[in-house]
Amino acid sequence: MQSKIDLSDTIRILLVEDDDAYAMLIGRMLKRAKIGKFSVERVDSQQSAFERLPKGDIDLVLLDLHLPDTNGLATLDSFINKEYDVPIVILTSLNDEITGIKALQKGAQDYIIKSDINEELLIRSIRYSIERYNLISELKRNTKALEASEERFRIITEQNADAIVVVDDERIVRFVNPTAEKVFNRSADEFIGKQFDFSSEYGVETDIEVSSDGENSTILECRANRIKWQDRDAILMTLRDVTERKQVEKMKDEVISIVSHEIRGPLTSIINSLSLIIDGETGDIPEPTKKMIEIAYRNSERLLRLTNDMLDIRKIESGKMEFNYQVLEVMPLIEQAIEANRSYADQFKVRIRLENTIPDAKIKTDSDRFIQILTNLLTNAAKFSPPEDEIIVSVSRNKGFLRISVKDHGPGIPEEFQNRIFSKFAQFTAQGARRKGGSGLGLSISKMLVENLGGSIGFETKPNEGTTFYFDLPEYQE
Ligand code: ADP
């Protein structure tokens, strides 16, 4: 079937007619058409029409209802049942207009009374039927698509665990899903079409900045987005009951804090005792025992670092870490961090060299956190430097920021790991990497700290040549 009539196209008619003379008459009329071209293929029974139609390339069927193998409206029924997706125009005899009308009701596009036929009437009926059929088909397709999309919307909203409410720009409720009915303890009828003040009734702020998350005095978390609802501006609110999540978060916080504090005390005491034994304060110990105790000491230290790191992460993430800001000269802070890490670097036979200074440079920062960040970069650089090598620390000014860089000549960071390096517990696990010890939390903590201090952190690396980690903090201006 044609999708739209183009006057230069030939309209292909299947004429289902057993009367030879009448078939010739119709053929002749269509041949003489002044506008457009028609081709007519004729079959003389229902059976042969059913054989021809599935092959396609037919734009319209002109159907005589009285055929050798079928008769009356049943003929049309069987054509329609076949669902050939082609418009049908009925040819009826004189005095049989009732049948014609019934045929229209059953789905034929038009009917022509055989004795009244003339060229003009026939062509107009054909064209009109094709156009009408196309329009109806398009409407059916659109309706189906709309129904499918409404069905999808219904399923999604009905089964959504979040409360969904649509209010228009006059704050009139246009839609609520079943979860919203439950959460607000009202039926949809009590909401829809009514102006509703979610703010005063439930503490839900509907004027919250659209596209952002908001919280409110009920235990609900609200997200609002501007949408079009039946051609009107509206706000789609998604409200989530976060009571349970908050309770879980709170419990998690408590567990982590209790466990960490309970671990830290005894662990520190173990470390101190082991260190006394190793230093010979408790008397001589045989060399093999000393070696075992040194292993225990190193692992206890590692456990303490991990515990501290986890506490730090929790504190920063929950916004509970306190920053004690002071305006300080940056060089003494850098020197302090270097001194604090020299003995750690010694373990790896690595030196730390400060390449340059900017004596007057100041930053407004928390000194402990600054040293913690730099310590992490220095210990990583020491761990990954080749023995007898040096780590170079430098400081530079750039567009209002001070950049502190730590350069090593280690193995570099593999490309596939680079975008994960600041994620929690990220460690490159290739041969050798894990043996360096560490929690995989250091860089993620450093990143969070630097960002809290108003700066940013980054690195440059080349495989087999080395890595430079740096962080930028705003330089303090009087
Ligand atoms: P960790 O406590 O394991 O050192 P970090 O978050 O500080 O945790 O570092 C994560 C991982 O990043 C390290 O395990 C290592 O694989 C890689 N890495 C960090 N610094 C360097 C560096 N200077 N050279 C090579 N790899 C590094």
PDB file of all heavy atoms in Angstrom, residues 428-443:
ATOM      1  N   PHE A 428      47.281  -0.481  42.551  1.00  0.00           N
ATOM      2  CA  PHE A 428      47.684  -1.169  41.344  1.00  0.00           C
ATOM      3  C   PHE A 428      48.292  -2.500  41.775  1.00  0.00           C
ATOM      4  O   PHE A 428      49.271  -2.533  42.528  1.00  0.00           O
ATOM      5  CB  PHE A 428      48.697  -0.323  40.568  1.00  0.00           C
ATOM      6  CG  PHE A 428      49.270  -1.046  39.397  1.00  0.00           C
ATOM      7  CD1 PHE A 428      48.433  -1.560  38.406  1.00  0.00           C
ATOM      8  CD2 PHE A 428      50.627  -1.246  39.278  1.00  0.00           C
ATOM      9  CE1 PHE A 428      48.951  -2.234  37.332  1.00  0.00           C
ATOM     10  CE2 PHE A 428      51.151  -1.911  38.192  1.00  0.00           C
ATOM     11  CZ  PHE A 428      50.308  -2.416  37.218  1.00  0.00           C
ATOM     12  N   THR A 429      47.657  -3.605  41.316  1.00  0.00           N
ATOM     13  CA  THR A 429      48.030  -4.892  41.893  1.00  0.00           C
ATOM     14  C   THR A 429      49.041  -5.672  41.051  1.00  0.00           C
ATOM     15  O   THR A 429      49.214  -6.862  41.245  1.00  0.00           O
ATOM     16  CB  THR A 429      46.783  -5.767  42.111  1.00  0.00           C
ATOM     17  OG1 THR A 429      46.009  -5.717  40.918  1.00  0.00           O
ATOM     18  CG2 THR A 429      45.978  -5.280  43.292  1.00  0.00           C
ATOM     19  N   ALA A 430      49.681  -5.008  40.106  1.00  0.00           N
ATOM     20  CA  ALA A 430      50.684  -5.738  39.321  1.00  0.00           C
ATOM     21  C   ALA A 430      51.803  -6.180  40.261  1.00  0.00           C
ATOM     22  O   ALA A 430      51.919  -5.698  41.384  1.00  0.00           O
ATOM     23  CB  ALA A 430      51.250  -4.845  38.237  1.00  0.00           C
ATOM     24  N   GLN A 431      52.572  -7.088  39.745  1.00  0.00           N
ATOM     25  CA  GLN A 431      53.642  -7.668  40.557  1.00  0.00           C
ATOM     26  C   GLN A 431      54.425  -6.584  41.309  1.00  0.00           C
ATOM     27  O   GLN A 431      54.869  -5.613  40.718  1.00  0.00           O
ATOM     28  CB  GLN A 431      54.573  -8.428  39.632  1.00  0.00           C
ATOM     29  CG  GLN A 431      55.155  -9.617  40.317  1.00  0.00           C
ATOM     30  CD  GLN A 431      56.327 -10.137  39.537  1.00  0.00           C
ATOM     31  OE1 GLN A 431      56.705  -9.559  38.526  1.00  0.00           O
ATOM     32  NE2 GLN A 431      56.909 -11.191  40.019  1.00  0.00           N
ATOM     33  N   GLY A 432      54.587  -6.754  42.577  1.00  0.00           N
ATOM     34  CA  GLY A 432      55.416  -5.798  43.319  1.00  0.00           C
ATOM     35  C   GLY A 432      54.630  -4.692  43.973  1.00  0.00           C
ATOM     36  O   GLY A 432      55.008  -4.214  45.030  1.00  0.00           O
ATOM     37  N   ALA A 433      53.520  -4.290  43.370  1.00  0.00           N
ATOM     38  CA  ALA A 433      52.827  -3.106  43.872  1.00  0.00           C
ATOM     39  C   ALA A 433      52.251  -3.307  45.274  1.00  0.00           C
ATOM     40  O   ALA A 433      52.422  -2.485  46.140  1.00  0.00           O
ATOM     41  CB  ALA A 433      51.722  -2.705  42.914  1.00  0.00           C
ATOM     42  N   ARG A 434      51.585  -4.452  45.504  1.00  0.00           N
ATOM     43  CA  ARG A 434      50.939  -4.658  46.788  1.00  0.00           C
ATOM     44  C   ARG A 434      51.949  -4.870  47.914  1.00  0.00           C
ATOM     45  O   ARG A 434      51.681  -4.524  49.052  1.00  0.00           O
ATOM     46  CB  ARG A 434      49.996  -5.858  46.699  1.00  0.00           C
ATOM     47  CG  ARG A 434      48.573  -5.415  46.792  1.00  0.00           C
ATOM     48  CD  ARG A 434      47.628  -6.551  46.914  1.00  0.00           C
ATOM     49  NE  ARG A 434      46.266  -6.079  46.674  1.00  0.00           N
ATOM     50  CZ  ARG A 434      45.542  -5.425  47.584  1.00  0.00           C
ATOM     51  NH1 ARG A 434      46.044  -5.168  48.766  1.00  0.00           N
ATOM     52  NH2 ARG A 434      44.326  -5.017  47.301  1.00  0.00           N
ATOM     53  N   ARG A 435      53.070  -5.415  47.544  1.00  0.00           N
ATOM     54  CA  ARG A 435      54.073  -5.713  48.566  1.00  0.00           C
ATOM     55  C   ARG A 435      54.581  -4.443  49.248  1.00  0.00           C
ATOM     56  O   ARG A 435      55.188  -4.487  50.289  1.00  0.00           O
ATOM     57  CB  ARG A 435      55.230  -6.512  47.948  1.00  0.00           C
ATOM     58  CG  ARG A 435      54.869  -7.997  47.838  1.00  0.00           C
ATOM     59  CD  ARG A 435      56.050  -8.810  47.427  1.00  0.00           C
ATOM     60  NE  ARG A 435      56.189  -8.839  45.970  1.00  0.00           N
ATOM     61  CZ  ARG A 435      57.264  -8.442  45.339  1.00  0.00           C
ATOM     62  NH1 ARG A 435      58.291  -7.957  46.010  1.00  0.00           N
ATOM     63  NH2 ARG A 435      57.332  -8.515  44.030  1.00  0.00           N
ATOM     64  N   LYS A 436      54.309  -3.291  48.637  1.00  0.00           N
ATOM     65  CA  LYS A 436      54.773  -2.039  49.221  1.00  0.00           C
ATOM     66  C   LYS A 436      53.998  -1.694  50.496  1.00  0.00           C
ATOM     67  O   LYS A 436      54.369  -0.793  51.211  1.00  0.00           O
ATOM     68  CB  LYS A 436      54.572  -0.876  48.228  1.00  0.00           C
ATOM     69  CG  LYS A 436      55.205  -1.102  46.881  1.00  0.00           C
ATOM     70  CD  LYS A 436      56.681  -0.813  46.902  1.00  0.00           C
ATOM     71  CE  LYS A 436      57.280  -0.921  45.516  1.00  0.00           C
ATOM     72  NZ  LYS A 436      58.748  -0.948  45.572  1.00  0.00           N
ATOM     73  N   GLY A 437      52.907  -2.385  50.720  1.00  0.00           N
ATOM     74  CA  GLY A 437      52.093  -2.084  51.893  1.00  0.00           C
ATOM     75  C   GLY A 437      51.265  -0.849  51.656  1.00  0.00           C
ATOM     76  O   GLY A 437      51.508  -0.085  50.719  1.00  0.00           O
ATOM     77  N   GLY A 438      50.266  -0.621  52.488  1.00  0.00           N
ATOM     78  CA  GLY A 438      49.398   0.548  52.283  1.00  0.00           C
ATOM     79  C   GLY A 438      47.953   0.094  52.177  1.00  0.00           C
ATOM     80  O   GLY A 438      47.688  -1.086  51.952  1.00  0.00           O
ATOM     81  N   SER A 439      47.071   1.050  52.367  1.00  0.00           N
ATOM     82  CA  SER A 439      45.654   0.702  52.425  1.00  0.00           C
ATOM     83  C   SER A 439      44.923   0.991  51.125  1.00  0.00           C
ATOM     84  O   SER A 439      43.819   0.527  50.914  1.00  0.00           O
ATOM     85  CB  SER A 439      45.004   1.527  53.535  1.00  0.00           C
ATOM     86  OG  SER A 439      45.135   2.905  53.223  1.00  0.00           O
ATOM     87  N   GLY A 440      45.532   1.796  50.268  1.00  0.00           N
ATOM     88  CA  GLY A 440      44.826   2.222  49.062  1.00  0.00           C
ATOM     89  C   GLY A 440      43.888   3.378  49.377  1.00  0.00           C
ATOM     90  O   GLY A 440      43.041   3.738  48.573  1.00  0.00           O
ATOM     91  N   LEU A 441      44.036   3.938  50.558  1.00  0.00           N
ATOM     92  CA  LEU A 441      43.151   5.054  50.944  1.00  0.00           C
ATOM     93  C   LEU A 441      43.874   6.400  50.912  1.00  0.00           C
ATOM     94  O   LEU A 441      43.241   7.447  50.893  1.00  0.00           O
ATOM     95  CB  LEU A 441      42.609   4.828  52.365  1.00  0.00           C
ATOM     96  CG  LEU A 441      41.611   3.688  52.530  1.00  0.00           C
ATOM     97  CD1 LEU A 441      41.303   3.441  54.001  1.00  0.00           C
ATOM     98  CD2 LEU A 441      40.315   4.021  51.796  1.00  0.00           C
ATOM     99  N   GLY A 442      45.227   6.336  50.930  1.00  0.00           N
ATOM    100  CA  GLY A 442      46.015   7.558  51.074  1.00  0.00           C
ATOM    101  C   GLY A 442      45.676   8.635  50.061  1.00  0.00           C
ATOM    102  O   GLY A 442      45.427   9.793  50.426  1.00  0.00           O
ATOM    103  N   LEU A 443      45.645   8.266  48.788  1.00  0.00           N
ATOM    104  CA  LEU A 443      45.405   9.291  47.764  1.00  0.00           C
ATOM    105  C   LEU A 443      43.966   9.795  47.790  1.00  0.00           C
ATOM    106  O   LEU A 443      43.717  10.977  47.531  1.00  0.00           O
ATOM    107  CB  LEU A 443      45.759   8.760  46.368  1.00  0.00           C
ATOM    108  CG  LEU A 443      47.259   8.679  46.077  1.00  0.00           C
ATOM    109  CD1 LEU A 443      47.512   8.036  44.719  1.00  0.00           C
ATOM    110  CD2 LEU A 443      47.906  10.061  46.128  1.00  0.00           C
TER     111      LEU A 443
END
